[in-house]
Coordinates of all heavy atoms in Angstrom, one line a residue:
M1 N -19.1 1.3 -10.4 CA -18.0 0.3 -10.7 C -18.0 -0.8 -9.7 O -18.3 -0.6 -8.5 CB -16.7 1.0 -10.8 CG -16.5 1.8 -12.0 SD -14.9 2.6 -12.0 CE -15.5 4.2 -12.5
L2 N -17.6 -2.0 -10.1 CA -17.6 -3.1 -9.3 C -16.1 -3.6 -9.0 O -15.3 -3.6 -9.9 CB -18.3 -4.3 -10.0 CG -18.5 -5.5 -9.2 CD1 -19.4 -5.3 -8.0 CD2 -19.2 -6.6 -10.1
C3 N -15.8 -3.9 -7.7 CA -14.5 -4.4 -7.3 C -14.8 -5.7 -6.6 O -15.8 -5.9 -6.0 CB -13.8 -3.5 -6.4 SG -13.3 -1.9 -7.1
K4 N -13.8 -6.6 -6.7 CA -13.9 -7.9 -6.0 C -12.8 -7.9 -4.9 O -11.7 -7.6 -5.1 CB -13.8 -9.0 -6.9 CG -13.9 -10.4 -6.3 CD -13.6 -11.5 -7.2 CE -13.7 -12.8 -6.5 NZ -13.3 -13.9 -7.4
K5 N -13.2 -8.4 -3.7 CA -12.3 -8.6 -2.6 C -11.7 -10.0 -2.7 O -12.4 -10.9 -2.9 CB -13.0 -8.4 -1.2 CG -12.1 -8.6 0.0 CD -12.9 -8.5 1.2 CE -13.7 -9.7 1.4 NZ -14.0 -10.1 2.8
T6 N -10.4 -10.1 -2.6 CA -9.7 -11.4 -2.7 C -9.8 -12.1 -1.4 O -10.2 -11.5 -0.4 CB -8.3 -11.2 -3.2 OG1 -7.5 -10.6 -2.1 CG2 -8.1 -10.4 -4.4
V7 N -9.3 -13.3 -1.4 CA -9.3 -14.1 -0.1 C -8.3 -13.5 0.9 O -8.4 -13.7 2.1 CB -8.9 -15.6 -0.4 CG1 -10.0 -16.3 -1.2 CG2 -7.5 -15.7 -1.1
K8 N -7.4 -12.6 0.4 CA -6.5 -11.9 1.3 C -7.0 -10.5 1.7 O -6.2 -9.7 2.1 CB -5.1 -11.8 0.7 CG -4.4 -13.2 0.5 CD -3.0 -13.0 0.0 CE -2.3 -14.4 -0.1 NZ -1.0 -14.2 -0.5
N9 N -8.3 -10.3 1.5 CA -8.9 -9.0 1.8 C -8.3 -7.8 1.0 O -8.2 -6.7 1.5 CB -8.9 -8.7 3.3 CG -9.8 -9.7 4.1 OD1 -10.8 -10.1 3.6 ND2 -9.3 -10.0 5.3
Q10 N -7.9 -8.1 -0.2 CA -7.4 -7.0 -1.0 C -8.4 -6.7 -2.2 O -9.1 -7.6 -2.6 CB -6.1 -7.5 -1.6 CG -5.0 -7.7 -0.6 CD -3.7 -8.3 -1.2 OE1 -3.7 -8.9 -2.2 NE2 -2.6 -8.0 -0.5
I11 N -8.4 -5.4 -2.6 CA -9.2 -5.0 -3.8 C -8.2 -4.3 -4.7 O -7.2 -3.7 -4.3 CB -10.4 -4.2 -3.4 CG1 -9.9 -2.9 -2.7 CG2 -11.4 -4.9 -2.5 CD1 -11.0 -1.8 -2.6
T12 N -8.6 -4.3 -6.0 CA -7.9 -3.5 -7.0 C -8.8 -2.4 -7.4 O -10.0 -2.6 -7.7 CB -7.6 -4.4 -8.2 OG1 -6.8 -5.5 -7.8 CG2 -6.9 -3.6 -9.3
L13 N -8.3 -1.2 -7.3 CA -9.0 0.0 -7.6 C -9.2 0.1 -9.1 O -8.2 0.0 -9.9 CB -8.4 1.3 -7.1 CG -8.2 1.3 -5.6 CD1 -7.4 2.6 -5.2 CD2 -9.6 1.3 -4.9
P14 N -10.3 0.4 -9.6 CA -10.5 0.6 -11.1 C -9.7 1.7 -11.6 O -9.5 2.7 -10.9 CB -12.0 0.9 -11.2 CG -12.6 0.3 -10.0 CD -11.6 0.5 -8.9
K15 N -9.2 1.5 -12.8 CA -8.3 2.5 -13.5 C -8.9 3.9 -13.5 O -8.2 4.9 -13.2 CB -8.0 2.1 -14.9 CG -7.0 3.0 -15.6 CD -6.6 2.4 -17.0 CE -5.6 3.3 -17.6 NZ -5.2 2.8 -19.0
K16 N -10.2 4.0 -13.8 CA -10.9 5.3 -13.8 C -10.8 6.0 -12.5 O -10.7 7.3 -12.4 CB -12.3 5.2 -14.3 CG -12.4 4.9 -15.8 CD -13.9 4.8 -16.2 CE -13.9 4.5 -17.7 NZ -15.3 4.5 -18.2
I17 N -10.9 5.3 -11.4 CA -10.9 5.8 -10.0 C -9.5 6.3 -9.7 O -9.2 7.4 -9.2 CB -11.3 4.8 -9.0 CG1 -12.8 4.4 -9.2 CG2 -11.1 5.3 -7.6 CD1 -13.8 5.5 -9.1
V18 N -8.5 5.5 -10.1 CA -7.1 5.8 -9.8 C -6.7 7.1 -10.6 O -6.0 8.0 -10.1 CB -6.1 4.7 -10.2 CG1 -4.7 5.1 -10.1 CG2 -6.4 3.5 -9.3
E19 N -7.2 7.2 -11.8 CA -6.9 8.4 -12.6 C -7.5 9.7 -12.0 O -6.9 10.8 -12.0 CB -7.5 8.3 -14.0 CG -6.7 7.3 -14.9 CD -7.4 6.9 -16.2 OE1 -8.5 7.3 -16.4 OE2 -6.7 6.3 -17.0
K20 N -8.6 9.5 -11.3 CA -9.3 10.7 -10.6 C -8.5 11.1 -9.4 O -8.4 12.3 -9.1 CB -10.7 10.4 -10.3 CG -11.6 10.4 -11.5 CD -13.1 10.2 -11.0 CE -14.0 10.2 -12.2 NZ -15.4 10.2 -11.9
V21 N -8.0 10.2 -8.6 CA -7.3 10.5 -7.3 C -5.8 10.8 -7.5 O -5.1 11.3 -6.6 CB -7.5 9.5 -6.2 CG1 -9.0 9.3 -5.9 CG2 -6.9 8.1 -6.6
G22 N -5.3 10.4 -8.7 CA -3.9 10.7 -8.9 C -3.0 9.6 -8.4 O -3.5 8.5 -7.9
N23 N -1.7 9.8 -8.4 CA -0.7 8.8 -7.9 C -0.7 8.8 -6.4 O 0.1 9.6 -5.8 CB 0.6 9.1 -8.5 CG 1.7 8.0 -8.2 OD1 1.3 6.9 -7.9 ND2 2.9 8.3 -8.4
C24 N -1.5 8.0 -5.8 CA -1.5 7.9 -4.3 C -1.3 6.5 -3.9 O -1.9 5.6 -4.4 CB -2.9 8.4 -3.9 SG -3.2 8.4 -2.1
E25 N -0.4 6.4 -2.9 CA 0.0 5.1 -2.4 C -0.8 4.7 -1.1 O -1.0 3.6 -0.8 CB 1.5 5.0 -2.1 CG 2.0 3.7 -1.8 CD 3.6 3.7 -1.6 OE1 4.2 4.7 -1.9 OE2 4.1 2.7 -1.2
Y26 N -1.2 5.7 -0.3 CA -1.8 5.5 1.0 C -3.2 6.1 1.0 O -3.4 7.2 0.4 CB -1.0 6.1 2.1 CG 0.3 5.3 2.3 CD1 1.5 5.7 1.7 CD2 0.3 4.2 3.2 CE1 2.7 5.0 1.9 CE2 1.5 3.5 3.3 CZ 2.7 3.9 2.7 OH 3.8 3.2 2.9
F27 N -4.1 5.5 1.7 CA -5.5 6.0 1.9 C -5.9 5.8 3.4 O -5.5 4.9 4.0 CB -6.5 5.1 1.1 CG -6.3 5.2 -0.4 CD1 -5.3 4.4 -1.1 CD2 -7.0 6.1 -1.2 CE1 -5.2 4.5 -2.4 CE2 -6.8 6.2 -2.5 CZ -5.9 5.4 -3.2
E28 N -6.6 6.8 3.8 CA -7.2 6.7 5.1 C -8.5 5.9 4.8 O -9.2 6.2 3.9 CB -7.6 8.1 5.7 CG -8.3 8.0 7.0 CD -8.7 9.4 7.6 OE1 -8.1 10.4 7.1 OE2 -9.5 9.4 8.5
V29 N -8.8 5.0 5.7 CA -10.0 4.1 5.5 C -11.0 4.3 6.6 O -10.7 4.3 7.8 CB -9.6 2.6 5.4 CG1 -10.8 1.8 5.1 CG2 -8.5 2.4 4.4
K30 N -12.3 4.5 6.2 CA -13.4 4.7 7.2 C -14.5 3.8 6.8 O -14.7 3.5 5.6 CB -13.9 6.1 7.2 CG -13.0 7.2 7.6 CD -13.7 8.5 7.6 CE -12.8 9.7 8.0 NZ -13.5 11.0 8.0
A31 N -15.3 3.3 7.8 CA -16.5 2.6 7.5 C -17.6 3.4 8.0 O -17.7 3.8 9.2 CB -16.5 1.2 8.2
E32 N -18.6 3.8 7.1 CA -19.7 4.6 7.5 C -21.0 4.1 6.9 O -21.0 3.9 5.6 CB -19.5 6.1 7.0 CG -18.7 6.9 7.9 CD -18.6 8.4 7.4 OE1 -19.4 8.8 6.6 OE2 -17.7 9.1 7.9
N33 N -22.0 3.7 7.7 CA -23.3 3.3 7.1 C -23.1 2.2 6.1 O -23.6 2.4 4.9 CB -24.0 4.5 6.6 CG -24.3 5.6 7.6 OD1 -24.5 5.3 8.8 ND2 -24.2 6.8 7.2
D34 N -22.4 1.2 6.4 CA -22.3 0.0 5.4 C -21.5 0.4 4.2 O -21.6 -0.2 3.1 CB -23.6 -0.6 5.0 CG -24.3 -1.2 6.2 OD1 -23.6 -1.7 7.2 OD2 -25.6 -1.2 6.2
R35 N -20.7 1.5 4.3 CA -19.8 1.9 3.1 C -18.4 1.9 3.6 O -18.1 2.3 4.7 CB -20.2 3.3 2.6 CG -21.6 3.3 2.0 CD -22.0 4.7 1.7 NE -23.3 4.8 1.2 CZ -23.7 5.0 -0.1 NH1 -22.7 5.2 -0.9 NH2 -24.9 5.0 -0.4
I36 N -17.5 1.7 2.7 CA -16.1 1.8 2.9 C -15.6 3.1 2.2 O -15.9 3.2 1.0 CB -15.3 0.6 2.4 CG1 -15.7 -0.6 3.1 CG2 -13.8 0.9 2.6 CD1 -15.1 -1.9 2.5
I37 N -15.0 4.0 2.9 CA -14.6 5.3 2.3 C -13.1 5.3 2.3 O -12.4 5.1 3.3 CB -15.2 6.5 3.1 CG1 -16.7 6.4 3.1 CG2 -14.6 7.8 2.5 CD1 -17.3 7.4 4.0
L38 N -12.5 5.5 1.1 CA -11.0 5.7 1.0 C -10.7 7.1 0.7 O -11.2 7.7 -0.2 CB -10.5 4.8 -0.2 CG -10.7 3.3 -0.1 CD1 -10.3 2.6 -1.4 CD2 -10.0 2.7 1.1
I39 N -9.8 7.7 1.5 CA -9.4 9.1 1.4 C -7.9 9.1 1.1 O -7.1 8.7 1.9 CB -9.7 9.9 2.6 CG1 -11.2 9.8 3.0 CG2 -9.3 11.4 2.5 CD1 -11.6 10.3 4.3
P40 N -7.5 9.6 -0.1 CA -6.1 9.7 -0.5 C -5.3 10.5 0.5 O -5.8 11.5 1.0 CB -6.1 10.3 -1.9 CG -7.5 10.2 -2.4 CD -8.4 10.2 -1.2
V41 N -4.1 10.0 0.9 CA -3.3 10.6 1.9 C -1.9 10.7 1.3 O -1.4 9.8 0.7 CB -3.2 9.8 3.2 CG1 -2.2 10.4 4.1 CG2 -4.6 9.7 3.8
K42 N -1.3 11.9 1.4 CA 0.1 12.1 0.9 C 0.9 12.3 2.1 O 0.7 13.1 3.0 CB 0.2 13.4 0.0 CG 1.6 13.6 -0.5 CD 1.6 14.8 -1.4 CE 3.0 14.9 -2.0 NZ 3.2 16.1 -2.8
L43 N 1.9 11.4 2.3 CA 2.9 11.5 3.4 C 3.9 12.5 3.1 O 4.5 12.5 2.0 CB 3.5 10.1 3.6 CG 2.6 9.0 3.9 CD1 3.3 7.7 4.1 CD2 1.7 9.3 5.2
V44 N 4.2 13.4 4.1 CA 5.3 14.3 4.0 C 6.1 14.3 5.2 O 5.6 14.0 6.3 CB 4.7 15.8 3.8 CG1 4.0 15.9 2.4 CG2 3.8 16.2 4.9
A45 N 7.4 14.5 5.0 CA 8.3 14.5 6.2 C 8.1 15.8 7.0 O 7.8 16.9 6.5 CB 9.8 14.4 5.7
L46 N 8.2 15.7 8.3 CA 8.2 16.8 9.2 C 9.4 17.6 9.0 O 10.5 17.1 8.8 CB 8.0 16.4 10.6 CG 6.7 15.6 10.9 CD1 6.7 15.1 12.4 CD2 5.5 16.4 10.7
K47 N 9.3 18.9 9.2 CA 10.5 19.8 9.1 C 11.7 19.4 9.9 O 12.8 19.4 9.5 CB 10.1 21.3 9.3 CG 9.2 21.8 8.3 CD 8.8 23.3 8.7 CE 7.9 23.8 7.6 NZ 7.5 25.2 7.9
N48 N 11.4 19.1 11.2 CA 12.5 18.8 12.1 C 12.8 17.3 12.3 O 13.5 16.9 13.2 CB 12.2 19.4 13.5 CG 12.2 20.9 13.4 OD1 12.9 21.5 12.7 ND2 11.3 21.5 14.2
Q49 N 12.2 16.5 11.4 CA 12.3 15.1 11.5 C 13.7 14.7 10.9 O 14.1 15.0 9.8 CB 11.2 14.4 10.7 CG 11.2 12.9 10.9 CD 10.0 12.3 10.2 OE1 9.3 13.0 9.4 NE2 9.8 11.0 10.3
S50 N 14.5 13.9 11.7 CA 15.8 13.6 11.3 C 15.9 12.4 10.4 O 16.8 12.2 9.6 CB 16.7 13.3 12.5 OG 16.2 12.2 13.2
K51 N 14.8 11.5 10.4 CA 14.8 10.4 9.5 C 13.6 10.4 8.6 O 12.5 10.6 9.1 CB 14.8 9.1 10.4 CG 16.1 8.9 11.2 CD 16.1 7.6 11.8 CE 17.4 7.4 12.6 NZ 17.8 6.1 12.9
S52 N 13.9 10.1 7.4 CA 12.8 10.1 6.4 C 12.1 8.7 6.4 O 12.7 7.7 6.9 CB 13.3 10.4 5.0 OG 14.2 9.4 4.6
L53 N 10.9 8.6 5.8 CA 10.2 7.3 5.8 C 11.1 6.2 5.1 O 11.1 5.1 5.6 CB 8.9 7.5 5.1 CG 8.0 6.3 5.0 CD1 7.7 5.8 6.4 CD2 6.7 6.7 4.3
P54 N 11.7 6.5 3.9 CA 12.5 5.5 3.3 C 13.7 5.0 4.2 O 14.0 3.8 4.2 CB 13.1 6.2 2.1 CG 12.1 7.2 1.7 CD 11.6 7.7 3.1
T55 N 14.2 5.9 5.0 CA 15.3 5.5 6.0 C 14.8 4.6 7.0 O 15.4 3.6 7.4 CB 15.9 6.8 6.6 OG1 16.4 7.6 5.6 CG2 17.1 6.4 7.6
V56 N 13.6 4.9 7.5 CA 13.0 4.0 8.6 C 12.6 2.7 8.0 O 12.9 1.6 8.6 CB 11.7 4.7 9.1 CG1 10.9 3.8 10.0 CG2 12.1 6.0 9.9
R57 N 12.1 2.7 6.7 CA 11.8 1.4 6.1 C 13.0 0.5 5.9 O 13.0 -0.7 6.1 CB 11.1 1.6 4.8 CG 9.6 2.1 4.9 CD 9.0 2.2 3.6 NE 7.6 2.5 3.8 CZ 6.8 3.1 2.9 NH1 7.3 3.5 1.7 NH2 5.5 3.3 3.1
K58 N 14.1 1.2 5.5 CA 15.3 0.5 5.2 C 15.9 -0.2 6.5 O 16.3 -1.3 6.5 CB 16.4 1.4 4.6 CG 17.7 0.8 4.3 CD 18.6 1.8 3.6 CE 20.0 1.1 3.3 NZ 20.9 2.1 2.7
K59 N 15.8 0.6 7.6 CA 16.2 0.1 8.9 C 15.4 -1.1 9.3 O 15.9 -2.1 9.8 CB 16.1 1.2 10.0 CG 16.6 0.8 11.3 CD 18.0 0.5 11.4 CE 18.4 0.3 12.9 NZ 19.8 0.0 13.0
M60 N 14.0 -1.0 9.2 CA 13.1 -2.1 9.5 C 13.4 -3.3 8.7 O 13.5 -4.4 9.3 CB 11.7 -1.6 9.3 CG 11.2 -0.6 10.4 SD 9.6 0.1 10.0 CE 8.6 -1.4 10.2
T61 N 13.7 -3.1 7.4 CA 14.1 -4.3 6.6 C 15.4 -4.9 7.1 O 15.5 -6.1 7.2 CB 14.2 -3.8 5.1 OG1 13.0 -3.3 4.7 CG2 14.6 -5.0 4.2
S62 N 16.3 -4.1 7.4 CA 17.6 -4.6 7.9 C 17.5 -5.4 9.2 O 18.2 -6.3 9.5 CB 18.7 -3.5 8.0 OG 18.4 -2.7 9.2
L63 N 16.5 -5.0 10.0 CA 16.2 -5.7 11.3 C 15.3 -6.9 11.1 O 15.0 -7.6 12.0 CB 15.6 -4.7 12.3 CG 16.5 -3.6 12.7 CD1 15.7 -2.6 13.5 CD2 17.7 -4.1 13.5
G64 N 14.8 -7.1 9.9 CA 14.0 -8.3 9.6 C 12.5 -8.1 10.1 O 11.8 -9.0 10.3
I65 N 12.1 -6.8 10.3 CA 10.8 -6.5 10.8 C 9.8 -6.5 9.6 O 10.1 -5.8 8.6 CB 10.7 -5.2 11.5 CG1 11.6 -5.2 12.8 CG2 9.3 -4.8 11.9 CD1 11.8 -3.9 13.4
T66 N 8.8 -7.3 9.6 CA 7.8 -7.4 8.5 C 6.5 -6.7 8.9 O 6.3 -6.3 10.0 CB 7.5 -8.9 8.2 OG1 6.8 -9.4 9.4 CG2 8.7 -9.7 8.0
E67 N 5.7 -6.5 7.8 CA 4.4 -5.9 8.1 C 3.6 -6.7 9.0 O 2.8 -6.2 9.9 CB 3.6 -5.7 6.7 CG 4.2 -4.6 5.9 CD 3.3 -4.3 4.6 OE1 2.1 -4.5 4.7 OE2 3.9 -4.0 3.6
K68 N 3.7 -8.0 9.0 CA 3.0 -8.9 9.9 C 3.5 -8.7 11.3 O 2.7 -8.6 12.3 CB 3.2 -10.4 9.5 CG 2.6 -11.4 10.4 CD 1.1 -11.5 10.2 CE 0.6 -12.7 10.9 NZ -0.1 -12.4 12.1
D69 N 4.8 -8.4 11.5 CA 5.3 -8.1 12.9 C 4.7 -6.8 13.4 O 4.3 -6.8 14.6 CB 6.8 -8.0 12.8 CG 7.6 -9.2 12.5 OD1 7.1 -10.3 12.8 OD2 8.6 -9.1 11.9
I70 N 4.5 -5.9 12.6 CA 3.9 -4.6 13.0 C 2.5 -4.8 13.3 O 2.0 -4.3 14.3 CB 4.1 -3.5 11.9 CG1 5.6 -3.2 11.7 CG2 3.4 -2.2 12.2 CD1 6.0 -2.4 10.5
E71 N 1.8 -5.5 12.5 CA 0.3 -5.8 12.7 C 0.2 -6.5 14.0 O -0.7 -6.2 14.8 CB -0.2 -6.6 11.6 CG -1.7 -6.9 11.7 CD -2.2 -7.7 10.5 OE1 -1.7 -7.5 9.4 OE2 -3.1 -8.6 10.8
D72 N 1.0 -7.5 14.3 CA 0.9 -8.3 15.5 C 1.2 -7.4 16.7 O 0.5 -7.5 17.8 CB 1.9 -9.4 15.5 CG 1.6 -10.5 14.6 OD1 0.4 -10.6 14.1 OD2 2.4 -11.4 14.3
A73 N 2.2 -6.4 16.6 CA 2.5 -5.5 17.7 C 1.3 -4.6 18.0 O 1.0 -4.3 19.1 CB 3.8 -4.7 17.4
I74 N 0.7 -4.1 16.9 CA -0.4 -3.2 17.1 C -1.6 -3.9 17.8 O -2.2 -3.4 18.7 CB -0.9 -2.6 15.8 CG1 0.2 -1.6 15.2 CG2 -2.2 -1.9 15.9 CD1 0.0 -1.2 13.8
N75 N -1.9 -5.1 17.3 CA -3.0 -5.9 17.9 C -2.6 -6.2 19.4 O -3.5 -6.2 20.2 CB -3.2 -7.2 17.1 CG -3.8 -7.0 15.8 OD1 -4.6 -6.0 15.6 ND2 -3.6 -7.8 14.9
W76 N -1.4 -6.5 19.7 CA -1.0 -6.8 21.1 C -1.2 -5.6 22.0 O -1.8 -5.7 23.0 CB 0.5 -7.2 21.1 CG 1.0 -7.4 22.5 CD1 0.9 -8.5 23.3 CD2 1.7 -6.4 23.3 NE1 1.5 -8.2 24.6 CE2 2.0 -6.9 24.6 CE3 2.1 -5.1 23.0 CZ2 2.7 -6.2 25.5 CZ3 2.8 -4.4 24.0 CH2 3.0 -4.9 25.2
A77 N -0.8 -4.4 21.4 CA -1.0 -3.2 22.2 C -2.4 -2.8 22.4 O -2.8 -2.3 23.5 CB -0.2 -2.0 21.5
R78 N -3.3 -3.0 21.4 CA -4.7 -2.7 21.5 C -5.4 -3.6 22.5 O -6.4 -3.2 23.1 CB -5.3 -2.8 20.1 CG -5.0 -1.7 19.2 CD -5.6 -1.8 17.9 NE -5.3 -0.6 17.1 CZ -5.5 -0.6 15.8 NH1 -6.0 -1.6 15.1 NH2 -5.2 0.5 15.1
N79 N -4.9 -4.8 22.7 CA -5.5 -5.8 23.6 C -5.0 -5.7 25.0 O -5.5 -6.5 25.9 CB -5.4 -7.2 23.0 CG -6.2 -7.4 21.8 OD1 -7.2 -6.9 21.6 ND2 -5.6 -8.2 20.9
K80 N -4.1 -4.8 25.3 CA -3.6 -4.7 26.7 C -4.6 -3.9 27.5 O -5.3 -3.1 27.2 CB -2.2 -4.0 26.7 CG -1.1 -4.9 26.3 CD 0.2 -4.4 26.8 CE 0.5 -5.3 27.9 NZ 1.4 -5.1 28.9

């Protein structure tokens, strides 16, 4: 199957592929031998975790933290 990368580095997964992996929102991404490998990941809350992912997302939204802010922070930390 053929996918096209957009100018924003996004791809749309073909319907047949999505049907095979099921309802998955997150993927682990690897690059191996000129190939991109997507591995479906299911997020689960830890038993002793006091805050769930939706709670954390809601808090980040209320603080005005965007995905770009997080990406910038990660890049800053990696370059230290």
